[in-house]
C-alpha cells in the first residue's frame, strides 16, 4: 500500500501536470477552431514539421518563461507573487482523493489506485477548492488595478453563490451511497438496480421470473440523481470561472479581470490552474456520477475473474488495473471534451444573471432534490422491509 | 515530527491571530491573517484526529466566511483608519480583563486534568459517527442551532429589505 501510493502519486503528477495541462491548450484551440470553421493553431514548426500544431504548447511555454515579468507600482509585492501559486496548487493537490481504479492484489502486495482514501473525501475537494478562490480573489486586489478589483469582487460573489448550491446539490449522492469516500462510491456504482424489482416484491409475478432480473441498470450517480448531476456540473463549472461563467474575466467588460496585471508565467499559472481544474472536475464527476473506473454491467470481481481464467490471478489483477485506469481516463477525457464544448457554444452570462441562477434557481432546486431523495429512500426502505 | 508540527502550527496560529488585531491599518492583511489562523487551526484539528471538523474549518471559515469578509472590505474599500479601533479604551480594558480571566481559568483547568490521556480510537471523528451523534444524542442542540441560523437569515432579510424600501 505504501509503495504503491508513491507510484500512483508520481503517475498522477506526470499525467496531469506534464501531459494534460499543456495538451489541453492545443485541444482547446483546435476544438474551438473546428467549431468556428477555422483551421486553428498550425504555424509552430521544428525544421518544417508542424505535427498538427502540437508544437504550439511548447512554443507557448517558451514564450511564457521568457516574457518580462512585470509588477505594477503600488501593488502588494508578496501577494502579487503568491497569488498564482495559491490558484494552481489547490487544483493540483485535489487529485489526491480521486480514485483511478479499485484495489488490486498482485504478488502479495495490495495496490490501491488512489493517493489518499480519506473518510471525508469529497469534502476535502471542496475545502481545497475554496482555498483556490483566494488566488484569484487576491490577485485582482494585489495588482492595484480597478479592473482587477472588479474582477476580484466578481470572483468572490460568484464563488459564494455557487459554493452553496454545489455543496447541497450532491447531498443526494451522499444519502444514496451513504459515504463521502470516492472509492466507496466507485464500488457502490458497480451494483445493478433492478428496475422492476417491485413487481416481484409485491408478488405480481413469481420470484425468479427471468425478465425482472434482466432489466437492470448500473447504479451510476447520473442514473439515480440526474438533477444533481446537472446542478453540480453547472455549479462546479461556475466555480472554475470558464465560459459561460467567466464574468470575473469578462474581456469585453473588465479587460481581463482579476489577472489583468500578470504577465509571463505568472499569468500562465492562472491559465494552468484553470485547465487542471477542468481535469479535476472531469475526474470528480466521473467518480461520483459516471461509475468511476468501472465498466457498466461488469463488476471489478467479474473483470478480474474473467482475465484470471486466461493468465492467472497475479497478472489478471495487473491487467484489470490497466483496464480500469483506461476506462477511467476515457470517461475523464470525454468529460473534458464536453466542458470545452460548453465553453465554445454558450455566450457569457451577464453578471446579475449568474447571481440569479445560483441563488434563485439552483439553490432551491438542490434543496428540493434532497427532500425528494430522502422521501424516495424512506419509501423504498418502508416497502422493502 | 508530530510534536514539531504541533508547535509550529500553534505558533503560526498565535502569531497570525495577533496579526489580525494588531494590524488594523491594513484591513486586507487582517483578513488574510485570519485565514492563516483558520488554516493552522484546521491542521491542529486534523492532528487531533478530528478530521471532519478540520476540513469543515477550512471549508466554512477559511473558504466561505473570510471570503465574505474580503468581499465586503474590497467592495467598501475599507482602509482601517476610520474603523474607530483606537478610540475605545473602555472596550480594550474589558477585553483585556476577559482574556486574562479566561487564561487563568484555562491554566487552572489544564493543571487539574490528568496527564496521561488514553489513545483515541482510530475511527474517532469519522463523518458517520459525528452524524450519528448529532442526529441522536444531540438532536435538540442541533435543531436549536438550526433555528438560530434561521433567525439570523430572517434578520438579515429584514434589515436588507428596510434599506431597499
Amino acid at each position: 500500500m505504501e509503495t504503491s501510493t508513491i507510484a500512483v502519486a508520481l503517475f498522477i503528477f506526470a499525467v496531469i501536470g506534464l501531459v494534460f495541462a499543456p495538451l489541453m491548450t492545443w485541444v482547446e484551440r483546435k476544438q474551438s477552431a473546428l467549431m468556428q470553421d477555422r483551421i486553428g493553431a498550425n504555424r509552430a514548426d521544428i525544421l518544417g514539421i508542424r505535427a498538427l500544431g502540437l508544437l504550439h504548447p511548447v512554443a507557448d511555454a517558451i514564450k511564457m518563461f521568457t516574457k518580462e515579468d512585470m509588477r505594477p507600482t503600488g501593488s502588494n509585492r508578496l501577494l502579487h507573487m503568491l497569488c498564482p501559486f495559491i490558484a494552481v496548487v489547490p487544483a493540483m493537490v485535489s487529485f489526491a482523493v480521486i480514485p483511478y481504479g479499485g484495489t488490486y492484489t498482485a504478488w502479495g502486495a495490495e495496490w490501491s489506485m488512489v493517493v489518499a482514501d480519506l473518510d471525508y473525501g469529497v469534502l476535502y475537494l471542496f475545502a481545497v477548492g475554496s482555498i483556490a478562490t483566494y488566488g484569484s480573489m487576491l490577485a485582482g486586489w494585489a495588482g492595484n488595478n480597478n479592473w482587477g478589483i472588479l474582477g476580484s469582487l466578481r470572483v468572490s460573489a460568484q464563488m459564494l453563490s455557487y459554493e452553496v448550491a454545489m455543496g447541497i446539490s450532491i447531498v443526494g449522492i451522499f444519502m444514496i451511497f451513504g459515504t463521502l469516500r470516492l472509492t466507496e462510491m466507485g464500488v457502490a456504482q458497480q451494483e445493478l438496480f433492478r428496475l422492476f424489482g417491485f413487481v416481484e416484491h409485491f408478488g405480481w409475478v413469481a420470484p425468479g421470473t427471468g425478465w425482472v432480473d434482466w432489466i437492470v441498470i448500473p447504479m451510476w450517480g447520473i442514473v439515480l440523481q440526474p438533477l444533481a448531476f446537472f446542478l453540480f456540473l453547472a455549479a462546479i463549472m461556475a466555480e472554475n470561472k470558464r465560459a459561460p461563467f467567466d464574468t470575473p474575466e469578462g474581456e469585453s467588460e473588465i479587460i481581463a479581470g482579476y489577472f489583468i496585471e500578470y504577465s509571463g508565467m505568472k499569468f500562465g499559472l492562472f491559465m494552468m490552474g484553470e485547465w487542471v481544474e477542468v481535469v479535476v472536475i472531469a475526474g470528480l464527476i466521473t467518480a461520483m456520477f459516471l461509475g468511476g473506473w468501472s465498466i457498466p454491467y461488469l463488476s471489478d470481481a467479474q473483470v478480474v475473474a474473467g482475465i484470471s481464467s486466461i493468465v492467472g490471478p497475479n497478472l489478471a489483477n495487473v491487467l484489470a488495473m490497466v483496464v480500469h485506469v483506461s476506462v477511467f481516463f476515457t470517461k475523464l477525457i470525454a468529460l473534458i471534451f464536453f466542458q470545452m464544448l460548453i465553453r465554445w457554444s454558450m455566450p457569457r452570462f451577464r453578471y446579475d444573471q449568474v447571481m440569479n441562477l445560483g441563488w434563485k434557481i439552483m439553490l432551491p432546486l438542490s434543496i428540493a432534490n434532497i427532500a425528494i431523495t430522502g422521501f424516495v429512500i424512506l419509501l423504498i426502505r418502508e416497502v422493502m422491509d | 515530527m508530530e510534536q514539531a508540527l504541533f508547535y509550529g502550527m500553534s505558533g503560526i496560529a498565535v502569531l497570525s491571530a495577533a496579526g489580525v488585531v494588531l494590524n488594523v491599518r491594513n484591513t486586507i492583511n487582517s483578513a488574510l491573517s485570519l485565514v492563516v489562523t483558520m488554516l493552522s487551526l484546521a491542521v491542529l484539528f486534523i492532528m487531533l484526529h478530528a478530521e471532519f471538523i478540520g476540513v469543515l474549518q477550512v471549508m466554512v471559515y477559511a473558504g466561505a466566511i473570510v471570503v465574505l469578509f474580503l468581499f465586503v472590505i474590497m467592495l467598501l474599500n475599507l482602509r482601517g483608519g476610520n474603523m474607530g479601533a483606537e478610540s475605545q479604551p473602555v472596550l480594550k480594558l474589558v477585553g483585556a480583563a476577559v482574556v486574562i480571566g479566561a487564561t487563568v481559568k484555562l491554566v487552572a483547568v489544564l493543571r487539574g486534568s490528568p496527564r496521561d490521556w488514553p489513545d483515541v480510537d482510530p475511527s474517532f471523528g469519522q463523518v458517520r459517527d459525528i452524524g450519528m451523534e448529532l442526529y441522536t444524542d444531540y438532536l435538540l442542540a442541533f435543531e436549536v442551532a438550526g433555528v438560530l441560523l434561521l433567525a439570523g437569515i430572517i434578520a438579515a432579510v429584514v434589515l436588507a429589505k428596510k434599506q431597499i424600501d
Side-chain angles (χ1 to χ4, degrees):
Chain A
M1 182 86 183
E2 293 304 317
T3 48
S4 68
T5 303
I6 297 167
V8 171
L10 284 175
F11 163 76
I12 289 165
F13 180 75
V15 168
I16 306 301
L18 305 177
V19 177
F20 261 97
L23 202 59
M24 273 167 68
T25 63
W26 175 79
V27 173
E28 189 148 71
R29 292 170 83 166
K30 279 295 188 188
Q31 195 194 22
S32 69
L34 199 67
M35 291 181 72
Q36 294 161 358
D37 200 15
R38 295 183 283 115
I39 297 170
N42 69 342
R43 293 300 170 92
D45 66 291
I46 296 175
L47 302 174
I49 300 163
R50 287 179 170 171
L52 298 168
L54 266 171
L55 294 170
H56 271 267
V58 183
D60 281 342
I62 294 171
K63 184 182 78 179
M64 294 274 192
F65 275 114
T66 50
K67 264 194 169 181
E68 187 189 356
D69 181 36
M70 288 190 291
R71 192 175 67 80
T73 43
S75 64
N76 187 319
R77 184 193 296 266
L78 177 70
L79 284 180
H80 191 264
M81 201 186 71
L82 212 57
C83 279
F85 299 96
I86 305 179
V88 78
V89 170
M92 290 225 153
V93 298
S94 299
F95 287 101
V97 291
I98 293 178
Y100 296 80
T103 316
Y104 309 92
T105 323
W107 295 287
E110 198 169 65
W111 298 72
S112 165
M113 284 292 107
V114 59
V115 179
D117 188 13
L118 301 175
D119 177 53
Y120 43 88
V122 181
L123 292 185
Y124 165 83
L125 278 173
F126 287 173
V128 164
S130 62
I131 295 299
T133 312
Y134 283 105
S136 28
M137 225 187 129
L138 293 169
W141 183 83
N144 191 27
N145 183 312
N146 284 341
W147 303 117
I149 291 177
L150 278 178
S152 295
L153 283 175
R154 290 183 174 197
V155 169
S156 45
Q158 181 164 319
M159 179 257 164
L160 284 169
S161 27
Y162 283 90
E163 189 102 313
V164 182
M166 186 170 84
I168 294 180
S169 65
I170 52 167
V171 171
I173 287 279
F174 302 156
M175 287 161 78
I176 288 177
F177 295 131
T179 179
L180 294 177
R181 279 179 206 257
L182 288 169
T183 46
E184 284 177 10
M185 284 185 198
V187 174
Q189 289 182 73
Q190 293 171 9
E191 282 180 29
L192 297 172
F193 183 72
R194 297 194 307 163
L195 267 183
F196 293 95
F198 65 93
V199 176
E200 192 180 283
H201 179 79
F202 288 123
W204 296 340
V205 295
T209 308
W211 65 272
V212 175
D213 285 336
W214 277 107
I215 303 177
V216 288
I217 43 170
M219 286 175 66
W220 283 13
I222 189 173
V223 176
L224 302 177
Q225 289 275 308
L227 181 61
F229 172 74
F230 289 109
L231 289 174
F232 183 72
L233 183 66
I236 203 164
M237 283 186 74
E239 279 272 294
N240 193 17
K241 305 183 286 292
R242 280 159 61 88
F245 296 103
D246 62 342
T247 46
E249 289 168 36
E251 290 91 346
S252 48
E253 307 153 21
I254 51 174
I255 310 178
Y258 57 91
F259 54 71
I260 188 167
E261 291 290 3
Y262 283 91
S263 54
M265 199 57 212
K266 284 182 185 166
F267 161 77
L269 278 181
F270 279 110
M271 287 286 108
M272 208 170 129
E274 261 184 27
W275 274 308
V276 175
E277 258 175 60
V278 168
V279 186
V280 175
I281 292 169
L284 183 58
I285 289 181
T286 307
M288 286 202 305
F289 291 98
L290 296 182
W293 61 86
S294 63
I295 308 166
Y297 298 104
L298 277 180
S299 71
D300 281 6
Q302 282 169 322
V303 172
V304 172
I307 304 177
S308 68
S309 62
I310 307 168
V311 293
N314 284 332
L315 204 55
N317 267 288
V318 175
L319 284 177
M321 184 168 87
V322 172
V323 167
H324 282 153
V325 171
S326 341
V327 167
F328 184 88
F329 274 100
T330 310
K331 291 174 182 175
L332 184 102
I333 288 167
L335 270 171
I336 291 174
F337 256 90
F338 179 67
Q339 288 182 64
M340 290 186 174
L341 199 68
I342 290 178
R343 177 172 186 191
W344 294 115
S345 34
M346 307 263 275
R348 178 184 306 133
F349 281 109
R350 216 174 51 220
Y351 188 57
D352 57 321
Q353 291 171 329
V354 171
M355 298 287 118
N356 276 342
L357 184 69
W359 288 113
K360 292 187 182 169
I361 299 175
M362 286 173 50
L363 185 58
L365 275 180
S366 33
I367 293 174
N369 187 45
I370 294 180
I372 294 167
T373 307
F375 180 73
V376 171
I377 289 177
L378 274 183
L379 196 73
I380 289 177
R381 279 198 194 145
E382 284 294 311
V383 169
M384 289 300 167
D385 290 340
Chain B
M1 172 67 195
E2 203 176 324
Q3 211 163 20
L5 199 61
F6 171 79
Y7 282 117
M9 277 302 149
S10 314
I12 293 173
V14 171
L15 283 181
S16 55
V20 177
V21 284
L22 295 180
N23 192 0
V24 283
R25 285 267 158 246
N26 191 332
T27 355
I28 292 265
N29 283 358
S30 273
L32 290 181
S33 303
L34 192 58
V35 177
V36 175
T37 314
M38 297 301 177
L39 290 180
S40 39
L41 285 184
V43 174
L44 289 181
F45 274 127
I46 289 172
M47 285 175 64
L48 290 169
H49 294 282
E51 283 119 351
F52 182 63
I53 298 176
V55 168
L56 281 194
Q57 176 90 11
V58 177
M59 245 175 88
V60 176
Y61 285 98
I65 290 182
V66 184
V67 169
L68 198 62
F69 285 1
L70 279 177
F71 177 70
V72 172
I73 293 170
M74 283 182 188
L75 190 68
L76 303 181
N77 203 9
L78 299 175
R79 285 292 176 207
N82 51 0
M83 300 286 282
E86 283 83 18
S87 59
Q88 292 159 336
V90 181
L91 271 183
K92 275 185 181 172
L93 274 178
V94 172
V98 168
V99 168
I100 291 170
T103 314
V104 169
K105 182 69 187 162
L106 191 67
V107 169
V109 168
L110 286 179
R111 286 198 158 198
S113 60
R115 284 298 167 94
D116 47 340
W117 298 90
D119 281 347
V120 289
D121 193 55
S123 70
F124 173 81
Q126 299 227 317
V127 182
R128 193 183 304 271
D129 302 331
I130 291 177
M132 274 295 174
E133 291 282 306
L134 272 184
Y135 285 99
T136 52
D137 293 351
Y138 301 99
L139 184 62
L140 182 67
F142 186 72
E143 296 278 335
V144 168
V147 172
L148 194 65
L149 284 177
L150 183 66
I153 293 171
I154 292 172
V157 170
V158 169
L159 282 177
K161 200 165 181 306
K162 201 184 279 174
Q163 295 210 329
I164 292 170
D165 288 343

